[in-house]
Amino acid sequence: MPDIAMITLVIAGLLAVVAFIQPVAAGMRLPPSVLLAAVGVAIGFVAGFLYHTPLTDAFNSLVAPFVDLPLRSATFIYVFLPLLLFQASLTIDVRRMMEDAAPILLLAVVAVIVATGVIGFGLWWMFGVSLIACLLLGSIVATTDPGAVVAIFRDIGAPARLTRLVEGESLLNDAAAIALFTLLLGILVSGGSLDPIEGAVSFSVSFLGGIALGAVGGKILLLALPRLGGSKAAEATLTLAVPYLVFILGDQVLGVSGVVAVVVVGLTVSAFGRSCVSPDNWNHLHNVWEQVAFWAGSLVFLLASILVPRLLGAVSWLDVSMVLAVVVLALLARAAVIFLLLPFLSLARLSEKVSHAYKGAILWGGLRGAVTLALALAVTESTVLSPDIKRFVAVTATGFVLFTLFVNGTTLRLVIRKLGLDRLSPVDQGLRNQVFALALADVRDGVQEVGRRFEIEPTTVRAVLKRYDERVSKVAAQGSIEENLSERERLNVGLLALANREKELILDGHGYISPAVGTRLLRHAERLVEGARANGRVGYNRAARVELEFRRPFKVAHFLHRRLRIDRPLTRQVADRFEILLTLRLVLSELKRYNEQRLRSLLGQRMSEIIGEILDARATATAKALDALQLQYPDYAEALERRFLRQVGLRMEMTHYESLRREGLLGQELHESLRQGVQLASQIQSERPRLDLRLNTEEMLDQVVLFQGLSSEQRKRLSRLLRPLFVVPGEVIVRHGERGDGVYFISSGAVEVALPEHKVRLGRGDFFGEMALMESRRRVADVTALTYCQLLKLDQADFDHFLQSEPAIREQIMRTFAHRAAQNVSMPA
């Protein structure tokens, strides 16, 4: 049989083994990765025995592929590692992970360095092996594999933060360990000496360079996804290609950490990707990657475990003592970081406190896996290193991996239960009881209705309903949510639910809103979640106000308009704000309905009323901000609303066609034709209408009564002197005490002049700022925009020249000036 056919047969056979191991592992209550490792080791040992035994040659052709498995370390690193890293980072909650960035970096980077040093110097001192070789071994065994740990955490309902810490650590510690491994292997091969400063610089460049490359790669991927026409296959294929491109570019071309680059790409897509593709496509993407990572991870464990006999060879008591020494040293190093260094982060207010129970679980959960075996295999493949060093690294690292899998992995579930980490918090327990009771009541009613509809005997229905009544009574006996939780706890639960519901509504709005606006609103929803979780009602309200403020990008665009007369960024920011406010208005309307229909039954009347007041306050503030824009640009508001309704109609149309297809009323060909028509129309309608800020000087002149008597030539000359300005509500146009530099004419909008004794409002056609110029004094009041305003500014020199050349306008301005002075309505100028 040709080699390629034999390799394909082996892979297919191993995948079949993987399939059957899953239910067996579930029945034995073991992590699948632990059982995969055990089966792989068994396959390797049995194949080796049958191939080399002098008793028979009957099995040689069958077991030869497993004995001479044509796998090198590069296969694991370049084929499997990018897939596993990208999928792990794609599925992690980036926002929540950032809350624990400090402890994750400590566990992922500092812990790797500490473990390398403790293990390396400890083995060197105890066994007299080359220090560089011992440090190399330390870097190899410093990598952790979260697969088995996270599976156990999720199976027994361990706290989400604990799972997040372990997942975050594993994402980055591979990068730190591989960077150290590469550095130490290079020193060992070249016979050089270890320079700590040079090593630190090399490590930092590799790590930070990987972050930069990953950020660029992630941004490019996010820009490319919306341009694939909504094709699920194309989107999944592109996300499959990018991790390999980034990994190899970083590792082989740029000399930076490809591991870090892939992780950053995955985290970027995880954080912002949902706003770039439709919800259905996002779910499809996740399902594809979950399946790919399952195949890759399972094959990695099996294939690496099959190589264990090759790595171990003949084991002596000295080897066993070295493995046990590594076990002890690794635990000591990990314990030092977790119990001695981790508390300093909370003291420095860089992280929330990590409980001792969490620390114990993290300590015992430091399992090692395929990456450690792949790095050990890389050492054995070296043609420069001595056989003694290769054997020392291979046997010790392999033995350590087996110990963590078969000892830590099989006892971790018991350790977590002893630490009490499988029990719900009082808040979660109270919420669980309430949700459970409501769900059971709904199911009971549903069963009763089904029995009535299908005319099932009432005695049979009552027998089934009795079981639900007993379960509802049992839950009710544990107390209602009002009894188990304080008002503050119930309010926090409600606000968190509200913020998460807002996030889902925004994601469901894909196609209705622009990708950039969707991304921004997702960040806003995440801030609401974080604010509610950290500070309850105060934090939620503070986060809600942020989105209504004029934020830094808007201010930068406004600065470019005001100082450099570049209007395009400002136009985009105003259009984005328009769309954001319209979307928030719709979302808040849905949230009110959600509060009435869901949260009231869950949290009670009192909490629902408080949440309703919070939503009303948000809705009022949003409506006020939106009204200010709609007054200025009513046509654009109508165009956006028209676009939204058209997109809603197209989605309803597509849903209707899908329903008809499932009912058999539409054939495949007709359905596909209708689907393509809707998709084409949706692409046409998805383009956001263009916003005109109406800053054309000549058009703005028409709104100022003072200039309406000018001739065509005079208007052209004046247009060259005037500068159009866009002003936002609350902006201070001129300030008390500053030197006057020009006169302002109001084309649209309204301003307020704050004088020492009273305030004056000015609107379209009015002007202000002339008195400071005409009296050669500083401004005597603040002028603040009450709405969005379009102003025309005439600088001081041009103002003087213009008055001299236009006596009629000069006369009108002088009359206004005299009137204001007589009425003591001094204007800032």
Side-chain angles (χ1 to χ4, degrees), residues 312-571:
L312 285 178
V315 179
S316 65
W317 286 109
L318 179 62
D319 297 326
V320 174
S321 63
M322 285 184 176
V323 171
L324 293 177
V326 172
V327 170
V328 174
L329 291 170
L331 278 174
L332 289 175
R334 194 165 177 81
V337 172
I338 293 172
F339 289 97
L340 298 181
L341 297 182
L342 202 55
F344 284 106
L345 296 180
S346 56
L347 290 176
R349 297 185 178 181
L350 296 174
S351 168
E352 294 182 24
K353 184 178 180 181
V354 179
S355 68
H356 289 307
Y358 279 26
K359 293 174 185 175
I362 294 171
L363 174 64
W364 198 245
L367 277 65
R368 273 61 170 182
V371 174
T372 301
L373 292 176
L375 296 180
L377 182 63
V379 173
T380 65
E381 293 169 357
S382 173
T383 58
V384 179
L385 298 180
S386 67
D388 289 341
I389 289 179
K390 290 195 287 187
R391 185 181 183 282
F392 160 72
V393 170
V395 172
T396 311
T398 304
F400 180 66
V401 169
L402 295 179
F403 182 92
T404 62
L405 284 174
F406 298 139
V407 176
N408 297 55
T410 55
T411 58
L412 183 58
R413 188 187 301 269
L414 177 62
V415 170
I416 291 175
R417 283 180 175 158
K418 291 293 184 182
L419 293 172
L421 293 174
D422 59 335
R423 293 189 289 271
L424 294 174
S425 67
V427 172
D428 289 336
Q429 183 65 44
L431 186 61
R432 174 194 175 278
N433 290 343
Q434 185 76 359
V435 171
F436 194 34
L438 292 172
L440 286 176
D442 288 343
V443 172
R444 183 197 181 282
D445 294 342
V447 170
Q448 188 174 27
E449 175 60 28
V450 169
R452 187 182 301 112
R453 188 166 69 244
F454 289 99
E455 299 181 352
I456 298 175
E457 284 294 328
T459 54
T460 304
V461 174
R462 284 195 296 269
V464 175
L465 295 181
K466 182 180 178 181
R467 179 171 176 268
Y468 285 101
D469 291 334
E470 291 172 351
R471 294 174 70 187
V472 170
S473 300
K474 185 177 179 180
V475 174
Q478 299 179 26
S480 65
I481 194 170
E482 288 86 353
E483 297 169 345
N484 292 324
L485 301 182
S486 66
E487 281 199 353
R488 182 174 182 180
E489 288 172 332
R490 280 184 286 141
L491 180 58
N492 288 353
V493 168
L495 292 176
L496 277 172
L498 205 66
N500 282 306
R501 178 58 183 160
E502 182 164 340
K503 181 178 178 180
E504 293 303 316
L505 288 171
I506 292 166
L507 291 171
D508 289 342
H510 177 85
Y512 303 155
I513 55 180
S514 305
V517 169
T519 300
R520 179 168 165 179
L521 286 175
L522 277 179
R523 293 178 186 173
H524 171 61
E526 293 289 354
R527 281 195 298 270
L528 291 173
V529 172
E530 294 163 7
R533 183 178 289 115
N535 297 301
R537 182 174 185 171
V538 173
Y540 180 90
N541 286 333
R542 185 185 299 123
R545 287 193 296 269
V546 168
E547 196 55 45
L548 300 183
E549 297 171 352
F550 295 101
R551 307 187 54 203
R552 182 174 300 173
F554 192 100
K555 292 178 180 178
V556 170
H558 196 247
F559 173 85
L560 294 175
H561 156 73
R562 184 65 57 85
R563 301 300 180 187
L564 303 178
R565 302 190 182 186
I566 300 175
D567 295 335
R568 180 169 292 182
L570 181 61
T571 301

Side-chain angles (χ1 to χ4, degrees), residues 774 798-807 809-810 813:
M774 301 180 74
D798 294 328
F799 177 69
D800 294 338
H801 177 73
F802 179 71
L803 291 185
Q804 292 175 6
S805 61
E806 302 294 340
I809 293 180
R810 174 184 174 86
I813 291 178

Side-chain angles (χ1 to χ4, degrees), residues 94-117:
V94 179
R95 305 291 182 186
R96 299 301 309 278
M97 191 185 80
M98 291 306 296
E99 296 174 13
D100 289 309
I104 286 173
L105 287 174
L106 180 73
L107 293 170
V109 180
V110 177
V112 167
I113 297 172
V114 171
T116 300

Side-chain angles (χ1 to χ4, degrees), residues 46-107:
V46 171
F49 172 77
L50 293 176
Y51 188 78
H52 295 292
T53 182
L55 299 177
T56 179
D57 295 332
F59 301 101
N60 285 11
S61 59
L62 179 64
V63 300
F66 297 100
V67 175
D68 299 321
L69 204 60
L71 287 177
R72 299 177 63 83
S73 59
T75 304
F76 293 99
I77 294 174
Y78 286 100
V79 175
F80 294 114
L81 191 57
L83 295 177
L84 298 175
L85 290 172
F86 185 81
Q87 190 271 340
S89 54
L90 182 67
T91 55
I92 201 168
D93 189 337
V94 179
R95 305 291 182 186
R96 299 301 309 278
M97 191 185 80
M98 291 306 296
E99 296 174 13
D100 289 309
I104 286 173
L105 287 174
L106 180 73
L107 293 170

